[in-house]
Amino acid sequence: MLSERQKAILAAVVERYIRTGEPVGSSVLLPALGMRISSATVRNELAALSAKGYLKQPHTSAGRVPSTNGYRYYVDQLMGRREADESFRRLFTQLALSSHDPARLLENAITVLADITRCAAVSTLPSGEGARLRRVELVPLGEDTALLVLLTDSGIIKNRSLRLDFPATSALLESFGNFSAAALCGREMTDFSPAYLQGLTTSLNLELLPVLADFAELAREAAQTRVAVEGQMNLLQHKEISGNLAEILNLLRKGQKLHELARGDPDNAVSVRIGSESGDPALKNTGLILAKYNMGGHQGMLGIVGGSRIDYARLIPGIQYLARLLEHLMSDEQ
């Protein structure tokens, strides 16, 4: 249990260290506290906070820096709740232009997020697991070329340009449309196994069998979780993690770790994992802020990773705001 004075001192240490990256001593704390206490009293309180595990001292003669427990106590108890600042609120007009394409919308969102936060920004599109095929179309591009377009109810869009061995006549395209409406649309993406699709070949025009093979590949891609990472070079500015940058990025690209870290948290909550809380050695000096979003009843995630001294008070409400903004823009297109 911390006293009110210890809480004020811990908050001041965390906030100054976030700003400067330098260990914080009593001499610089005293003017910021606005309390009628001596420098000796501040030193005693710093020692007490260190003994309780909230602060640590890099060197004997140095000031204090927050520990993982110190950051956690600050995030949960001390920093207060704020609204997203203007830099995040300006995102609406920037992102609304690409809201017709969920993949492009997320790509643009994390590019801007990386610029705003000076961290690496990550996102996952909802996987096709549990999603259903909403529509598949064969759109003619020329006499012997067409575009195969697949859309799921979770907003995933996949397409592929095909060169056909037959003229793309209206009768043949209509035949494929009737086939897909009867045998493909409305089914879960995981239903399209090779065995299932092989069983459909007898009911499909022979000329269209190669198109079914291309559909199988698109369906397989749509059923995978896709991870995007932007702003990787920003992490070079975070000196506490620059030494194992490759390990961090390799872990994030796999995507599954992001879902594991936020598993069990309410959908409207922001998951904050600091240092060793991530449970992976590669992330031991990082701060992660992750927010879930829903698209067509399916869940994705976006957030940032940086050094452990990222500005939690500013970034947590900003990322939560961005997640809700994405949901709003995507729901307008459903």
Side-chain angles (χ1 to χ4, degrees):
M1 186 73 176
L2 300 185
S3 68
E4 292 304 312
R5 185 164 67 191
Q6 288 173 336
K7 291 178 183 179
I9 290 174
L10 178 58
V13 170
V14 173
E15 289 169 0
R16 184 171 183 87
Y17 185 65
I18 285 173
R19 289 197 307 272
T20 69
E22 299 295 332
V24 182
S26 59
S27 59
V28 298
L29 271 182
L30 200 56
L33 289 172
M35 297 180 179
R36 291 187 173 184
I37 54 177
S38 67
S39 182
T41 299
V42 175
R43 286 196 297 272
N44 289 338
E45 295 289 29
L46 289 173
L49 288 167
S50 298
K52 292 179 179 182
Y54 295 107
L55 299 177
K56 54 187 180 180
Q57 196 169 20
H59 308 288
T60 305
S61 59
R64 264 70 172 189
V65 301
S67 66
T68 296
N69 288 340
Y71 280 121
R72 173 52 61 190
Y73 193 91
Y74 173 78
V75 168
D76 290 345
Q77 305 291 334
L78 303 179
M79 72 179 189
R81 299 300 165 208
R82 306 182 188 177
E83 296 295 323
D85 67 24
E86 186 59 27
S87 63
F88 283 95
R89 294 186 174 276
R90 285 197 298 266
L91 290 176
F92 180 84
T93 53
Q94 292 176 259
L95 298 180
L97 296 175
S98 56
S99 62
H100 63 284
D101 182 342
R104 179 62 60 84
L105 175 60
L106 271 174
E107 178 184 324
N108 291 343
I110 64 166
T111 297
V112 176
L113 183 60
D115 289 339
I116 290 175
T117 63
R118 308 310 301 166
C119 294
V122 294
S123 71
T124 64
L125 272 172
S127 74
E129 185 176 355
R132 294 181 179 275
L133 180 66
R134 175 183 290 181
R135 188 166 72 246
V136 58
E137 295 182 6
L138 194 58
V139 181
L141 298 177
E143 184 176 341
D144 59 352
T145 57
L147 185 69
L148 181 63
V149 182
L150 176 157
L151 172 66
T152 75
D153 65 354
S154 64
I156 295 173
I157 301 173
K158 286 286 183 181
N159 64 76
R160 176 175 296 185
S161 180
L162 309 179
R163 182 166 293 279
L164 306 175
D165 296 328
F166 51 84
T169 63
S170 57
L172 206 58
L173 296 177
E174 182 180 355
S175 172
F176 180 77
N178 294 335
F179 165 80
S180 62
L184 303 178
C185 293
R187 301 192 68 90
E188 290 192 6
M189 301 306 298
T190 50
D191 287 346
F192 300 124
S193 64
Y196 175 76
L197 294 176
Q198 181 65 32
L200 299 178
T201 55
T202 56
S203 58
L204 183 63
N205 189 304
L206 290 177
E207 294 176 305
L208 290 170
L209 290 180
V211 177
L212 188 61
D214 284 296
F215 167 80
E217 291 186 25
L218 289 184
R220 185 165 54 251
E221 291 176 11
Q224 298 171 347
T225 298
R226 288 169 290 163
V227 182
V229 184
E230 292 289 341
Q232 296 95 318
M233 297 303 292
N234 290 338
L235 296 183
L236 293 175
Q237 303 171 29
H238 299 242
K239 58 184 180 181
E240 64 266 48
I241 61 172
S242 58
N244 64 330
L245 182 57
E247 294 175 84
I248 293 171
L249 294 177
N250 183 54
L251 192 69
L252 295 177
R253 287 192 190 99
K254 294 177 181 178
Q256 185 60 34
K257 185 64 179 180
L258 303 181
H259 290 285
E260 290 175 4
L261 291 172
R263 186 171 293 154
D265 289 342
D267 287 355
N268 62 348
V270 173
S271 300
V272 180
R273 298 291 181 265
I274 304 165
S276 58
E277 294 176 350
S278 68
D280 192 291
L283 302 175
K284 64 181 179 180
N285 294 316
T286 63
L288 287 91
I289 305 174
L290 305 170
K292 300 173 185 175
Y293 68 88
N294 289 291
M295 181 169 63
H298 302 274
Q299 195 171 84
M301 188 176 302
L302 81 158
I304 61 166
V305 57
S308 53
R309 66 180 191 90
I310 54 178
D311 189 353
Y312 298 97
R314 171 178 175 255
L315 298 179
I316 290 172
I319 290 169
Q320 188 169 38
Y321 172 82
L322 179 56
R324 302 291 81 78
L325 174 59
L326 289 174
E327 285 188 349
H328 170 70
L329 292 173
M330 290 174 179
S331 66
D332 285 349
E333 297 299 318
Q334 296 297 316

